[in-house]
């Protein structure tokens, strides 16, 4: 439901790439920043799509004929902020005795960062060729650098830091 309006305008390939980039960045961000927390669901991809909606509204503000564009932005920001706040609260609040480890919220933040950064370049370039844009290559290089760092971190950091991966509940 979140991606369909974007897919109708920008195409399935661009939005699928944005979603998968958010999922990958979210999962790797959790494994780098919060090693012991479990990761549940595809929240990185969902937040990438939500923040891509915000980027799309900001970029096309003058050309939008929708009278509710301010309400659309406020509603999206309130929903995203309340969900991130809830996830932060659950992560750092004392767990219930029967509950296992609390899921991490870093996937939300990484997905939102991917959605804004890649969304601005992918969605702006709807009428232009992606390969001709300098911003596209800069964002892609930053994303690839983050992926390389996170993969090497996952390969070597657990042994270097002596972190034990928790058993599933």
């Amino acid at each position: 439901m979140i991606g369909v309006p974007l897919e109708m305008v920008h195409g399935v390939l661009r939005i699928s790439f944005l979603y998968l980039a958010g999922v990958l960045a979210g999962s790797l961000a959790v494994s780098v920043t919060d090693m012991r927390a479990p990761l549940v669901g595809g929240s990185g991809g969902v937040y990438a799509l939500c923040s891509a909606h915000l980027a799309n509204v900001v970029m096309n503000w003058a050309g939008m004929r929708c009278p509710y564009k301010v309400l659309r932005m406020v509603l999206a920001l309130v929903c995203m902020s309340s969900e991130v706040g809830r996830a932060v609260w659950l992560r750092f609040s004392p767990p219930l005795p029967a509950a296992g480890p609390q899921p991490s919220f870093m996937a939300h933040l990484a997905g939102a960062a991917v959605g804004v950064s890649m969304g601005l370049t992918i969605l702006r370039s709807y009428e232009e060729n992606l390969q001709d844009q300098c911003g596209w290559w800069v964002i892609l290089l930053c994303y690839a650098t983050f992926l390389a760092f996170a993969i090497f971190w996952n390969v070597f950091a657990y042994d270097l830091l002596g972190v034990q991966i928790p058993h599933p509940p």
Side-chain angles (χ1 to χ4, degrees):
M1 287 176 38
I2 294 173
V4 170
L6 289 172
E7 286 179 359
M8 290 170 49
V9 175
H10 300 285
V12 174
L13 288 177
R14 290 176 186 230
I15 303 307
S16 298
F17 175 72
L18 186 64
Y19 177 80
L20 291 174
V23 168
L24 189 59
S27 64
L28 288 173
V30 169
S31 69
V32 169
T33 59
D34 204 0
M35 291 179 178
R36 291 190 175 108
L39 180 64
V40 181
S43 59
V46 172
Y47 272 78
L49 293 179
C50 287
S51 57
H53 273 288
L54 294 177
N56 192 29
V57 170
V58 168
M59 282 187 314
N60 301 318
W61 187 267
M64 290 182 73
R65 290 181 231 146
C66 177
Y68 303 110
K69 56 188 168 186
V70 174
L71 179 65
R72 182 176 165 186
M73 281 192 64
V74 169
L75 186 63
L77 285 173
V78 166
C79 290
M80 288 173 60
S81 301
S82 64
E83 175 58 28
V84 170
R86 182 183 133 323
V88 171
W89 175 262
L90 288 176
R91 177 70 181 114
F92 292 115
S93 66
L96 297 172
Q102 300 296 326
S104 180
F105 61 92
M106 286 305 296
H108 298 70
L109 299 177
V114 166
V116 169
S117 62
M118 288 190 151
L120 285 174
T121 57
I122 289 174
L123 303 181
R124 175 178 291 150
S125 64
Y126 178 66
E127 301 197 9
E128 298 175 13
N129 192 0
L130 281 179
Q131 288 80 11
D132 296 338
Q133 293 186 3
C134 180
W136 163 250
W137 292 106
V138 170
I139 295 294
L140 194 62
L141 180 66
C142 291
Y143 184 72
T145 304
F146 166 73
L147 289 182
F149 167 76
I151 290 170
F152 281 116
W153 178 267
N154 281 302
V155 169
F156 298 113
Y158 288 97
D159 291 335
L160 292 174
L161 298 175
V163 175
Q164 297 294 323
I165 299 173
H167 297 287

